[in-house]
Amino acid sequence: MSTCVACCHWILKEKNHKGEYVTDELIKQGGWGWCRFDERWKYFSYCRECPKGKFEPIEDEQRRQREEWIARKDAERQKRCQELMRAEKLRTRK
């Protein structure tokens, strides 16, 4: 499958002015990145098919690490949503 999660052009980190690799807030949330062949500010989901026809697969180990990272971020987001819903229910009961 030629989705962003398996492509070497899907960028999750970039060098800052100090030479350190960093991520921004949207990428830290998980499942989003930007394509080397598109604008820097235009983010794409990990499950998006390659529209430019420049898909190049990454190694299986790196893909597995990306998928684990996305699953971990999804679990964190799910937990946060459940906590917010629980807090909202408690607030509306009072």
Side-chain angles (χ1 to χ4, degrees), residues 4 8 15 19 34 38 40 42 45-46 51 72 89:
C4 288
C8 67
K15 279 188 179 180
W34 52 279
D38 218 321
R40 165 63 182 91
K42 194 172 183 182
S45 172
Y46 68 93
R72 200 169 45 248
K89 284 181 184 178

Side-chain angles (χ1 to χ4, degrees), residues 16-67:
N16 64 8
H17 64 282
K18 297 177 185 176
E20 303 165 331
Y21 282 95
V22 295
T23 59
D24 59 22
E25 289 303 313
L26 190 59
I27 293 172
K28 285 179 184 177
Q29 292 176 12
W32 296 92
W34 52 279
C35 182
R36 180 173 291 140
F37 295 108
D38 218 321
E39 291 88 9
R40 165 63 182 91
W41 50 268
K42 194 172 183 182
Y43 292 91
F44 299 109
S45 172
Y46 68 93
C47 55
R48 179 176 175 262
E49 291 283 328
C50 182
K52 300 194 180 287
K54 298 186 179 195
F55 174 78
E56 289 182 36
I58 57 175
E59 297 174 6
D60 289 339
E61 179 64 24
Q62 189 177 7
R63 180 182 177 149
R64 187 185 59 75
Q65 289 174 349
R66 282 184 178 183
E67 289 172 346

